[in-house]
Amino acid sequence: MAYIAPKDFSQDAGLIAEVMRVMGGDLDLAWMKDHPHPVAARPRQPRRGLTLDDINQDPNYGPQVIPEIVRHNFSMAPRGAVLPEGLPSLGYRVNRKSDVWADTATVLFEESKSRRWAPARNVPWQALDAVTHSPDEAQAIHQICTGLISISLVAADVPSRWVWLMNQEFHEIKYWMCAQMFDASRLAEAFRKRALYGKGSLGKDSRELGEFLKMVIDSETYPLASASLNLLLFSFVQALGRHYEYLSSNAADTYLGTRLVQDASRFVAYGVDHIRSFVGARPAELEVVNEHLDLVENGLIGYFGSRELLEPLIVLSGGFEPVADFYRKAVGEYFERCAAAGLGAREKRSPLPSFLKLLES
Amino acid sequence: MSIAFPSLEFFKALQQRTKDEVVAFEKLGVCDTTFGVRVGDELYRIAFEIYECTEVDECDDPAPLDFVLSAPVELWREMFQSVVENAGADAEHTINSLTHVGDIMKIEYEDPEGHDCFYRFMATIQAFLDEAKHLDVDLS
């Protein structure tokens, strides 16, 4: 059943009378007079084009006008528009700026579009025809791709669970989250195509990966979802992209690994900036984020230890030590980002270091 | 006449290639980072803005740089030899491969977000270094 508006417009005598007056030439043009804040937005760097930051320079339209708690607009009206009386509430539930905001989101949104790529034509697929992988190596690549497809699909799901609940005043963040969904969809597409190219196949999904992704997707608030997805999961995805590229022996896999790294890095960049803004504005939430990451990192350990990830990595890396080195580097860089995000020394409370020590022993 | 490596002239020649190959670099997308290339004891500052390399110079202080790719001159020579011979780095000599496992080439940084600029713009930085394939470079 659709939403039922309080007025039956088709039977509204007042509306019909207004239409008749306008059609009779009685235009009051009130909407034309209500332009309280004219601006003259121009590209500051013409080669970059007209960016969100260019049109946000005026304080009446830029994000600086957004209060910490939005109480004045729950409608679809874009920030800076004139709000007439009686606009309906669209039921937004995320109405605190610090819950969502990151200053870098505008740059990352523009960057996402500028650095776009199209798997169908940009990946040099034909390079795979000359590849001499053994059957075991080929299956190991398909297995890694299978995990990446699952991760990417969830990376599209997570923003979709929150974007429609966010107040329209935060439109830059909503744009960015739509870009994340598109980026994640493209990664799912690209690695599905890689797995099935030529004599391909998908691999076996992982229960541990499923548990990890469920922890990410079931995060109770948007800041916790962002910390789980952007900061933790995509730190790992970025590192996996680096390892995928490192293991590649052909132009197609090199291309895929490099693009996985660059696309994942935008998630990471937003995550660091967002969580830093969040805990900076609301220090009482710091422990909440850290406790959540304690739990979700446990999920990452499950995936690190799963045969569906560990074994194909060993097959492709030529042994365990390069994989352990990759895990150490991924976790170390993640902890550095957590510190930059204002979460403190997570290595002192995280379950990840103990797991890495277990691997070393 | 060959361009000697390492030299400021070499990196300026790579800079010019980003202007000559404007379509290719625009296709890679915006790239906004200032990073360093340390060849032995010499440090070169390389600035990218929007689509092209805008500045190249020698510098002493790595602090303002997002990150520094650091390796002995022999490794850089080997990498550029691969670029020249294969019309672009082969899989073993991409900057990702050289920096990923074993730290053959090191990434120096103070700010993790500066470090992540390496990952965000890796494709452009690799394309920049791969432009050496068009230069008459003396790697001896």
Side-chain angles (χ1 to χ4, degrees):
Chain A
M1 187 175 77
Y3 165 71
I4 305 296
K7 183 181 280 188
D8 182 348
F9 291 108
S10 67
Q11 301 298 318
D12 181 23
L15 179 70
I16 304 290
E18 285 290 314
V19 170
M20 297 309 289
R21 274 199 293 275
V22 171
M23 292 178 69
D26 179 14
L27 281 65
D28 83 355
L29 302 177
W31 56 271
M32 195 181 279
K33 296 162 193 156
D34 290 339
H35 277 277
H37 306 298
V39 296
R42 293 277 189 279
R44 288 171 295 174
Q45 294 176 295
R47 221 177 150 199
R48 198 184 292 277
L50 185 65
T51 66
L52 291 180
D53 284 342
D54 291 330
I55 64 169
N56 277 346
Q57 294 302 303
D58 186 286
N60 293 296
Y61 294 96
Q64 57 272 49
V65 75
I66 308 172
E68 165 60 10
I69 301 177
V70 177
R71 301 181 194 277
H72 66 284
N73 179 18
F74 299 99
S75 77
M76 67 296 164
R79 190 177 71 224
V82 176
L83 307 181
E85 290 290 321
L87 287 175
S89 167
L90 267 65
Y92 297 124
R93 294 284 188 271
V94 181
N95 296 300
R96 289 190 75 152
K97 185 179 182 184
S98 58
D99 271 339
V100 304
W101 198 258
D103 287 338
T104 54
T106 51
V107 170
L108 294 169
F109 172 68
E110 302 283 2
E111 188 178 305
S112 168
K113 290 175 292 151
S114 179
R115 295 189 73 83
R116 68 190 179 278
W117 51 287
R121 289 177 55 86
N122 293 150
V123 179
W125 295 111
Q126 68 283 0
L128 295 174
D129 294 335
V131 164
T132 55
H133 287 136
S134 70
D136 288 351
E137 289 171 333
Q139 277 192 278
I141 290 173
H142 299 158
Q143 180 61 34
I144 297 294
C145 291
T146 303
L148 280 168
I149 297 165
S150 298
I151 290 169
S152 301
L153 290 171
V154 167
D157 286 345
V158 173
S160 76
R161 283 172 68 100
W162 293 99
V163 68
W164 66 281
L165 294 171
M166 282 182 192
N167 196 294
Q168 297 281 25
E169 295 283 307
F170 313 135
H171 64 253
E172 291 90 345
I173 305 301
K174 299 178 78 140
Y175 295 172
W176 157 245
M177 291 169 77
C178 292
Q180 281 189 295
M181 286 184 248
F182 194 87
D183 284 347
S185 304
R186 180 173 50 210
L187 291 173
E189 170 204 353
F191 284 94
R192 187 174 185 86
K193 287 176 174 173
R194 173 61 182 93
L196 298 182
Y197 184 87
K199 292 181 180 177
S201 69
L202 287 183
K204 181 183 178 185
D205 210 333
S206 159
R207 178 179 169 183
E208 288 82 3
L209 175 59
E211 296 286 1
F212 175 38
L213 296 177
K214 188 173 169 63
M215 290 178 190
V216 173
I217 204 167
D218 276 357
S219 301
E220 286 180 340
T221 66
Y222 178 68
L224 297 182
S226 176
S228 308
L229 175 79
N230 298 305
L231 196 53
L232 174 60
L233 174 58
F234 268 72
S235 281
F236 166 70
V237 171
Q238 182 206 65
L240 186 57
R242 293 199 68 199
H243 204 65
Y244 189 95
E245 197 277 350
Y246 165 76
L247 297 171
S248 76
S249 60
N250 62 83
D253 284 326
T254 297
Y255 188 97
L256 284 167
T258 304
R259 266 56 185 187
L260 177 58
V261 172
Q262 79 165 25
D263 290 1
S265 296
R266 288 192 295 273
F267 285 61
V268 170
Y270 170 72
V272 172
D273 198 23
H274 172 217
I275 298 305
R276 180 172 50 223
S277 300
F278 176 64
V279 299
R282 291 152 68 185
E285 300 288 344
L286 172 61
E287 183 56 22
V288 177
V289 176
N290 269 321
E291 282 185 2
H292 184 68
L293 288 175
D294 291 345
L295 294 173
V296 186
E297 286 166 11
N298 199 45
L300 178 58
I301 289 173
Y303 187 43
F304 272 170
S306 69
R307 288 181 182 274
E308 290 82 9
L309 176 67
L310 190 54
E311 292 184 358
L313 285 175
I314 291 171
V315 168
L316 291 168
S317 307
F320 177 68
E321 188 48 42
V323 181
D325 198 14
F326 153 53
Y327 280 3
R328 275 192 295 269
K329 183 166 280 190
V331 170
E333 291 183 355
Y334 162 66
F335 285 147
E336 289 176 354
R337 294 184 189 112
C338 287
L343 297 177
R346 278 210 51 79
E347 62 273 21
K348 292 181 180 171
R349 61 183 291 167
S350 165
L352 285 162
S354 299
F355 176 73
L356 294 179
K357 278 187 184 169
L358 179 70
L359 293 182
E360 287 167 5
S361 67
Chain B
M1 192 173 134
S2 298
I3 304 170
F5 174 85
S7 67
L8 182 59
E9 185 188 14
F10 171 77
F11 287 105
K12 283 196 176 291
L14 290 184
Q15 177 190 9
Q16 183 57 43
R17 292 295 308 167
T18 68
K19 301 173 196 295
D20 297 342
E21 294 291 337
V22 61
V23 173
F25 279 87
E26 281 193 12
K27 191 176 176 189
L28 288 166
V30 293
C31 175
D32 296 289
T33 181
T34 300
F35 63 98
V37 171
R38 194 188 296 283
V39 185
D41 295 330
E42 296 175 35
L43 178 61
Y44 299 93
R45 187 183 73 95
I46 295 163
F48 267 80
E49 187 175 12
I50 312 181
Y51 301 118
E52 67 184 36
C53 179
T54 51
E55 291 177 51
V56 168
D57 52 36
E58 292 172 288
C59 74
D60 300 319
D61 181 14
L65 304 175
D66 288 329
F67 60 90
V68 175
L69 298 171
S70 178
V73 64
E74 295 78 17
L75 181 63
W76 284 109
R77 282 203 179 102
E78 181 184 323
M79 190 200 84
F80 282 118
Q81 194 67 46
S82 167
V83 168
V84 169
E85 287 175 0
N86 301 294
D90 65 6
E92 291 179 3
H93 291 92
T94 62
I95 46 174
N96 178 65
S97 291
L98 294 171
T99 54
H100 181 52
V101 171
D103 288 331
I104 302 168
M105 177 182 285
K106 295 193 185 311
I107 311 174
E108 302 167 354
Y109 60 95
E110 292 183 6
D111 173 13
E113 289 172 285
H115 178 208
D116 276 330
C117 287
F118 172 56
Y119 301 136
R120 274 163 69 182
F121 304 121
M122 184 190 287
T124 300
I125 296 166
Q126 184 67 60
F128 169 71
L129 299 172
D130 281 351
E131 284 301 315
K133 67 191 174 192
H134 294 295
L135 304 180
D136 180 8
V137 55
D138 179 4
L139 292 167
S140 60

